[in-house]
Amino acid sequence: MTLYDLARKNIKHNFIHYFLYFASMSFSIMIYYTLVVLSKDPTVTARINRSERLSAAFTVASIILLIFIIIFILYSNNFFMRKRKKEIGLYNLLGLRKFEISRMLFYENFIMGIGSLVIGIILGTFLSKLFVAILLRLMNDALPSRFIFSWSAVINASLVFVLVTLITSLLSFWTIYRNSLLDLFHSEAKREKALKPSLLWTCIALTFIITGYVIALQPLTVQNSIWSILGVPLTSLLILFFTIVGTVLFISFFLPYFLKKLRTRKASFYRGTNLVTNAQLSFRISSNAKTLSVIAILSAITLSAIGAIGSVYYNINQSVQKEVSTSFEYTIPSDSKKANKALAVVESNPSHPVTFKQATTIYLLKPDKPTKKINDVFLYEDQFQVMSESQYKRLFHELYPKEMSTNLGKKKALFILPTSVAELDKINQKPATIHLGKSNTFQVSYDSRAVLQSLYGGILVLPDGAIKSLHPEKYLHIQSINISNEKQAFDLSKKLEAQLSSDAGLLSYPETYRYVMNTMGVLLFIGLFIGLVFLAATGCIIYFKLLTEAYSDRETYVILKKIGVTRKEIRFSIARQVLIIFLIPLVLGIMHSSVALLCLANLIEVDLTRPVILTTVIYTLMYIIYYLLTVNSYTNIVIGKNK
């Protein structure tokens, strides 16, 4: 029997132990291959290349995915090598040289890698139609999807396979040569060094996490908040420091301390299998603190990233509405023929009938007396841009049908915040008086609800009678148009743009909507892809970690079985331990991401509840699947399959 035959038989007879590793590697290659294929597909690239940022996003995502896949496979391979050290020692004891054992392991890695590569590429090719359809749907494109195959993507994925196989083989070779025969046989007894429970460090851990949460949830616009004092970058780093350090200390000290206190409660400690369960659980958490901390932080990052992108995508209508209030807004050309022709293009389209239109006249007025109380953002070349109250109210009721407009008195005026200023509270809103003409004095109030968005500077709204008496200079005319089914009116937008010159300053809701949908759709798609790999990796890491320990715990459960503990009781004990191990990183990840997304919601002023809940539920369901697989595999290892 050759070494290749031995490697093939090892995989064949122990495939149940290799399955999740094999499946995860195949899944990772499929995701990487699909992402590379999509980045080369003409249908997708035609849309991605509209923006250099989107093209760069695909490239960066591929690199991040590649690095993470390599780290994950190396991490997984390390667990398998640790589990098989005793087997390797036995081969050495039976006369196989270390070089021959290394060759056998290389063949195993090669066979597993080839299998994963082939299955990953086949699945990626067959699922490409689905992935393209999902991407185009997220980008709001109704083009038909198709199956994709790319030889360059195959070569790319194959190079990744070769690289991973070489690295894992070299690490296996290094493990065999640096360990003595005695180390190989006693490797299962080595675990992470357990830290002693400490009340002091427990308090510090809770203080760090609470401090990070308090800083994150402070209002961003309040002058005395840490956000305003340190700025967003430094405050974000401070929050990350407190949260990450607090998470590590929480898992390392708080949970062991809590379980230690549980063991002092005799009423529950001596009930059923609690004695064994609590003791093993306490040791397991202490010895796996580093791993659980990394997974908790990765889970928080994954949930935060997907939740943030998904939330922005979910609230895309609100985002676009802030940029473009009406379907179309442009400066009416001075040539009446061109103006009528542009308007006719919109009005003659039966698919998108006009529901509202208004030509708003903008006047220029220079104040007689300069006032320091009026912020410069309300001025345009030292003059006020003025519109009449009647035109303002008609626009306002169209754009804000559920809200009340400001009623102006005889000597009242309204300043509308310019769209270039993000927040009204950054403007000096103290009552001010402006002087327009010798005997025309107006008391000013303020409003942030924009009705025209193509103007620079703020807009001053005056009563119609005041405008007539002041005889202001006509500056320009702004056309505002609303149509039905505006999201699908991209072709109409292009036709209108062709009729207008560049100085018309056309603002198009359909074009803006399509651009934002394309951008956020691609980012959400990439985020979901990377999130799936992160999820698969974190679930597999816990799975491998617990199964490695299961082989060390077999003797304990054999003794329990001999003294009369039933299979059902043993399985219940295992299920409780595994549940806690899975819950720790999941709950911490959800808590951290919830605070981060709540902070984001305050920043961008949108409701993120529904998309965040959806993301969390899907992530939790995937963890439940890993949990059930782990409990079943762990039980079969320690007490055998139920016959």
Side-chain angles (χ1 to χ4, degrees):
M1 181 184 292
T2 63
L3 291 172
Y4 178 80
D5 294 331
L6 184 60
R8 189 166 49 83
K9 286 191 175 184
N10 277 343
I11 295 173
K12 182 180 179 180
H13 294 296
N14 297 289
F15 189 71
I16 187 65
H17 302 308
Y18 288 90
F19 174 73
L20 194 58
Y21 172 62
F22 178 79
S24 301
M25 194 157 59
S26 301
F27 176 78
S28 300
I29 290 175
M30 179 196 75
I31 294 292
Y32 177 73
Y33 169 79
T34 304
L35 196 62
V36 175
V37 165
L38 290 179
S39 67
K40 299 179 183 298
D41 178 63
T43 307
V44 177
T45 53
R47 283 143 186 80
I48 292 174
N49 290 336
R50 293 172 186 164
S51 169
E52 292 183 3
R53 292 182 179 180
L54 291 184
S55 182
F58 255 92
T59 304
V60 172
S62 300
I63 295 171
I64 292 173
L65 205 55
L66 174 60
I67 294 171
F68 193 80
I69 286 171
I70 292 173
I71 293 172
F72 163 61
I73 292 174
L74 293 178
Y75 197 83
S76 304
N77 184 71
N78 178 57
F79 280 117
F80 275 103
M81 283 301 299
R82 181 177 173 181
K83 182 176 74 69
R84 298 186 64 196
K85 279 182 180 179
K86 195 171 183 179
E87 178 189 344
I88 293 168
L90 187 60
Y91 285 135
N92 201 355
L93 193 64
L94 291 173
L96 280 179
R97 291 175 296 175
K98 291 186 176 182
F99 179 73
E100 292 173 326
I101 298 172
S102 300
R103 280 177 56 196
M104 182 192 71
L105 294 177
F106 172 77
Y107 292 145
E108 287 186 12
N109 287 331
F110 185 80
I111 294 169
M112 293 281 288
I114 283 287
S116 302
L117 179 66
V118 171
I119 290 176
I121 290 174
I122 291 173
L123 287 175
T125 302
F126 278 102
L127 292 175
S128 61
K129 184 180 177 69
L130 173 63
F131 289 132
V132 172
I134 292 172
L135 177 56
L136 293 177
R137 180 71 183 86
L138 291 173
M139 295 173 70
N140 198 41
D141 271 317
L143 292 175
S145 58
R146 59 189 179 84
F147 292 107
I148 308 170
F149 182 81
S150 169
W151 280 111
S152 60
V154 171
I155 294 170
N156 204 319
S158 300
L159 291 174
V160 172
F161 150 71
V162 171
L163 177 64
V164 171
T165 303
L166 287 174
I167 295 174
T168 53
S169 300
L170 286 172
L171 288 176
S172 301
F173 181 82
W174 172 251
T175 301
I176 293 168
Y177 271 83
R178 74 185 180 91
N179 285 282
S180 64
L181 191 61
L182 188 63
D183 291 333
L184 291 172
F185 275 103
H186 290 282
S187 62
E188 289 184 356
K190 296 179 181 179
R191 300 189 182 184
E192 291 181 16
K193 185 179 179 181
L195 299 170
K196 292 182 180 180
S198 169
L199 177 60
L200 175 62
W201 284 108
T202 295
C203 295
I204 293 173
L206 293 173
T207 302
F208 268 59
I209 292 176
I210 293 170
T211 302
Y213 286 0
V214 169
I215 295 173
L217 296 176
Q218 280 192 329
L220 277 71
T221 56
V222 177
Q223 291 184 353
N224 295 326
S225 69
I226 297 179
W227 288 99
S228 60
I229 296 172
L230 298 181
V232 174
L234 285 177
T235 306
S236 301
L237 289 175
L238 189 64
I239 293 168
L240 284 174
F241 170 76
F242 279 115
T243 306
I244 291 173
V245 174
T247 300
V248 175
L249 295 177
F250 181 86
I251 294 174
S252 302
F253 295 101
F254 174 78
L255 293 174
Y257 179 81
F258 179 73
L259 291 171
K260 180 182 176 182
K261 289 297 180 182
L262 282 182
R263 290 201 299 271
T264 61
R265 297 182 60 187
K266 296 182 180 180
S268 61
F269 187 64
Y270 292 107
R271 185 182 302 165
T273 58
N274 285 355
L275 188 148
V276 176
T277 302
N278 291 348
Q280 283 193 318
L281 184 58
S282 180
F283 175 74
R284 186 158 284 132
I285 290 173
S286 299
S287 61
N288 294 326
K290 293 178 184 176
T291 303
L292 294 176
S293 300
V294 170
I295 293 172
I297 294 165
L298 278 178
S299 298
I301 293 171
T302 305
L303 283 169
S304 298
I306 297 176
I309 298 171
S311 300
V312 175
Y313 184 85
Y314 179 79
N315 292 282
I316 210 162
N317 288 331
Q318 186 177 343
S319 302
V320 176
Q321 200 72 40
K322 287 182 178 180
E323 294 185 35
V324 187
S325 299
T326 53
S327 302
F328 303 109
E329 183 182 313
Y330 60 89
T331 301
I332 299 175
S334 56
D335 188 335
S336 59
K337 290 183 179 180
K338 288 184 178 181
N340 293 333
K341 196 172 182 180
L343 190 58
V345 167
V346 181
E347 291 180 326
S348 61
N349 192 299
S351 301
H352 306 282
V354 174
T355 59
F356 171 83
K357 66 176 181 178
Q358 176 175 302
T360 304
T361 303
I362 302 298
Y363 305 91
L364 285 181
L365 273 173
K366 192 167 186 177
D368 285 355
K369 297 178 181 179
T371 173
K372 296 180 180 179
K373 293 183 179 180
I374 300 299
N375 196 293
D376 289 340
V377 298
F378 291 109
L379 296 171
Y380 176 74
E381 296 180 353
D382 296 326
Q383 298 182 83
F384 293 130
Q385 297 178 124
V386 181
M387 68 184 298
S388 67
E389 182 182 8
S390 59
Q391 290 187 325
Y392 157 72
K393 284 193 172 182
R394 190 163 181 265
L395 270 175
F396 186 93
H397 292 148
E398 172 67 18
L399 300 179
Y400 308 97
K402 296 181 180 180
E403 299 181 32
M404 295 293 293
S405 62
T406 303
N407 290 317
L408 302 181
K410 193 173 182 181
K411 292 294 182 179
K412 300 288 184 180
L414 176 68
F415 265 132
I416 301 177
L417 184 71
T419 54
S420 58
V421 179
E423 296 168 358
L424 185 61
D425 54 19
K426 291 183 179 179
I427 300 299
N428 181 5
Q429 297 182 61
K430 293 180 180 179
T433 301
I434 57 172
H435 302 277
L436 301 171
K438 296 180 179 179
S439 60
N440 289 287
T441 303
F442 296 89
Q443 195 72 26
V444 176
S445 58
Y446 301 85
D447 199 334
S448 61
R449 294 168 292 183
V451 291
L452 294 176
Q453 296 177 306
S454 57
L455 294 175
Y456 295 100
I459 300 174
L460 178 64
V461 181
L462 292 177
D464 291 25
I467 291 180
K468 290 180 182 179
S469 64
L470 291 169
H471 304 292
E473 175 191 352
K474 288 185 180 180
Y475 172 47
L476 47 80
H477 302 279
I478 303 292
Q479 183 71 62
S480 302
I481 303 173
N482 268 343
I483 59 173
S484 61
N485 304 317
E486 59 186 359
K487 295 177 184 177
Q488 285 75 42
F490 182 74
D491 292 336
L492 176 59
S493 176
K494 286 297 180 184
K495 290 179 182 178
L496 178 60
E497 186 179 5
Q499 296 296 325
L500 298 171
S501 59
S502 58
D503 58 357
L506 174 64
L507 292 180
S508 167
Y509 185 96
E511 188 166 350
T512 305
Y513 181 80
R514 187 170 188 177
Y515 174 78
V516 176
M517 283 292 289
N518 283 355
T519 303
M520 297 312 302
V522 169
L523 293 178
L524 180 59
F525 184 80
I526 292 172
L528 289 173
F529 256 51
I530 296 178
L532 282 173
V533 175
F534 273 44
L535 173 61
T538 53
C540 283
I541 288 170
I542 299 177
Y543 177 88
F544 297 145
K545 190 78 172 173
L546 291 176
L547 261 58
T548 302
E549 295 177 354
Y551 287 97
S552 303
D553 294 338
R554 276 184 295 191
E555 294 300 324
T556 302
Y557 287 100
V558 168
I559 294 172
L560 288 175
K561 196 174 180 182
K562 286 180 179 179
I563 63 175
V565 180
T566 65
R567 180 185 177 88
K568 183 178 179 181
E569 290 174 326
I570 291 175
R571 184 179 177 85
F572 180 70
S573 173
I574 292 170
R576 285 176 58 193
Q577 294 179 57
V578 174
L579 178 63
I580 298 299
I581 297 298
F582 270 92
L583 278 180
I584 290 169
L586 179 63
V587 171
L588 284 173
I590 291 173
M591 287 173 57
H592 295 343
S593 64
S594 298
V595 173
L597 292 172
L598 187 59
C599 178
L600 176 66
N602 294 333
L603 178 63
I604 61 178
E605 297 180 350
V606 294
D607 183 14
L608 309 182
T609 306
R610 189 174 295 178
V612 169
I613 290 175
L614 181 62
T615 305
T616 304
V617 168
I618 294 173
Y619 202 85
T620 304
L621 288 175
M622 296 293 289
Y623 251 65
I624 290 172
I625 294 171
Y626 273 108
Y627 164 71
L628 295 174
L629 285 171
T630 306
V631 170
N632 188 61
S633 300
Y634 197 109
T635 306
N636 291 337
I637 289 171
V638 297
I639 56 176
K641 294 183 179 180
N642 193 11
K643 297 179 181 179

